Amino acid sequence: MIDLSLIWVVIIAVGVLIYVILDGFDLGIGILFPFFPHQDDRDVMMNTVAPVWDGNETWMVLGGAGLFAAFPLVYSTVLSALYMPIILMVIALIFRGVAFEFRFKANRSKHWWDKAFIGGSALTSFLQGVILGAYIQGIETRNGIYAGGGLDWLTPFSLFTGLSVMVLYAALGCGWLIFRTADQLQDRMYQLMPKMIIALLIILGAVSIYTPLTHPQIAERWFSQPQFMYLMPVPILVLLFTWLALRACKQRKELSPFMYMLVLVFLAYTGFLISLWPYIIPPSVTIWEAAAPESSQLFTLIGALLLIPIILIYTGVSYWVFRHKVRVGDDGYH
């Protein structure tokens, strides 16, 4: 018999991963804006994502809709626990989206839209990390209802993971801009990206140490036998691809730094899934306990299987059409 709950977990997990990758470097560009005060540089940076940025967020919508359809208990419980950071994130996304549209049409007020783009990108990234940290910490439930307080999400750990996601997105943004830009802007990205990668490695190491120390279930998952032997390649691969990314920057490769960063994102995401499996509301509710009736899961799965290929196709076509490098003076987004 087909496990529909497992299929839906895979769909949601892949959708969230694609969102983190696509909107990650997109948000990272906004985080990098303060390092590049000249308008020509900022125009180029924004033009590398302006034609495709709004399509990236389709995957976040897909993940939320998938939760609502396949795991309504998770949708209601997690959103109840994280209402405040989610609402603030949506507001930040609105400011960022408006900045995209108005910045290219503004003259004297352009610096205000730059600030809106920077603030919206940084706050969105930070709050996504806070939400991630709060989720890892666990959500207190009683009889399927959120039983915690309104500020349980606000802890030193969640604030630290918020910073972690900002650094991760900034490093992704550097890799993307190395690939899509040229000349002096690209040179400065080659100088900035190694610093971001080293900072990211330190942060990932700190999270990887702190999490098992404070969560016995996660420690048991990683360090008991035989799981320890099976999972050991994950941290080893993180170190390997960090070194490869640093070497690619030193050798001034154009595509390799971005590709290695994508692998690092995948490895970090894999570690996150391994740590929590099979709990979809950590630390106590499994994916099967939170699942909707099979009839509901099957009905919505049919729609998802029709819709997802369409999303993949138009996303792929968009990136293929706008695959060329962007330089100062090129016709931009209007």
Side-chain angles (χ1 to χ4, degrees):
M1 186 175 179
I2 299 175
D3 191 337
L4 294 177
S5 296
L6 188 58
I7 293 174
W8 266 111
V9 164
V10 172
I11 291 173
I12 294 170
V14 171
V16 171
L17 176 61
I18 295 174
Y19 168 77
V20 168
I21 290 172
L22 296 184
D23 216 33
F25 63 77
D26 185 344
L27 290 163
I29 290 172
I31 297 171
L32 294 171
F33 249 42
F35 295 95
F36 301 89
H38 296 295
Q39 289 298 333
D40 286 344
D41 289 337
R42 291 183 172 184
D43 289 344
V44 171
M45 292 165 70
M46 190 172 274
N47 279 333
T48 63
V49 294
V52 296
W53 72 273
D54 46 354
N56 295 341
E57 294 175 359
T58 305
W59 296 98
M60 180 168 61
V61 176
L62 176 67
L67 276 180
F68 181 76
F71 303 100
L73 179 63
V74 180
Y75 188 87
S76 63
T77 304
V78 173
L79 263 66
S80 296
L82 303 173
Y83 266 138
M84 190 176 295
I86 290 173
I87 291 297
L88 291 174
M89 182 187 73
V90 171
I91 294 172
L93 284 170
I94 291 171
F95 269 92
R96 182 170 168 273
V98 172
F100 257 111
E101 300 299 329
F102 280 84
R103 182 183 179 277
F104 289 100
K105 299 175 176 64
N107 292 315
R108 288 181 297 178
S109 62
K110 196 170 188 176
H111 66 101
W112 289 111
W113 295 116
D114 281 347
K115 291 179 175 64
F117 183 62
I118 293 168
S121 300
L123 187 58
T124 298
S125 305
F126 178 72
L127 288 171
Q128 287 182 5
V130 168
I131 291 167
L132 172 65
Y135 185 75
I136 292 173
Q137 287 174 166
I139 295 173
E140 184 182 351
T141 60
R142 189 175 298 115
N143 298 324
I145 300 173
Y146 176 58
L151 293 177
D152 284 5
W153 55 273
L154 188 60
T155 66
F157 178 72
S158 67
L159 295 177
F160 188 74
T161 53
L163 176 64
S164 304
V165 170
M166 288 182 67
V167 175
L168 173 64
Y169 285 174
L172 269 175
C174 284
W176 172 256
L177 290 170
I178 286 173
F179 173 50
R180 292 297 310 280
T181 64
D183 305 324
Q184 293 183 358
L185 182 58
Q186 186 187 55
D187 291 340
R188 295 178 66 185
M189 290 299 167
Y190 278 124
Q191 297 171 10
L192 183 58
M193 187 171 180
K195 299 173 184 176
M196 294 293 177
I197 293 173
I198 292 171
L200 178 63
L201 180 63
I202 294 171
I203 288 172
L204 287 177
V207 172
S208 300
I209 293 171
Y210 178 83
T211 304
L213 286 177
T214 55
H215 296 80
Q217 286 180 316
I218 295 177
E220 183 179 357
R221 176 67 48 80
W222 281 92
F223 298 111
S224 61
Q225 293 292 351
Q227 293 96 315
F228 179 77
M229 296 302 299
Y230 297 144
L231 301 179
M232 181 54 66
V234 175
I236 293 174
L237 288 172
V238 168
L239 293 174
L240 172 63
F241 279 95
T242 299
W243 175 75
L244 289 172
L246 291 170
R247 189 182 69 166
C249 290
K250 185 176 181 180
Q251 295 176 343
R252 300 180 66 82
K253 301 287 183 66
E254 292 202 334
L255 180 58
S256 297
F258 181 60
M259 298 305 295
Y260 292 143
M261 275 305 306
L262 294 185
V263 176
L264 286 173
V265 171
F266 174 77
L267 290 171
Y269 191 68
T270 300
F272 161 73
L273 294 178
I274 290 171
S275 297
L276 297 185
W277 179 264
Y279 299 103
I280 197 167
I281 305 179
S284 58
V285 182
T286 68
I287 61 172
W288 299 280
E289 292 171 339
E294 287 192 2
S295 57
S296 299
Q297 289 187 333
L298 180 60
F299 177 77
T300 50
L301 179 62
I302 294 170
L305 293 178
L306 293 173
L307 185 62
I308 291 172
I310 297 173
I311 300 174
L312 287 170
I313 290 169
Y314 83 64
T315 300
V317 169
S318 298
Y319 278 89
W320 175 256
V321 170
F322 297 101
R323 68 189 182 278
H324 302 293
K325 283 188 175 292
V326 180
R327 293 177 170 85
V328 174
D330 286 352
D331 289 336
Y333 177 70
H334 300 287

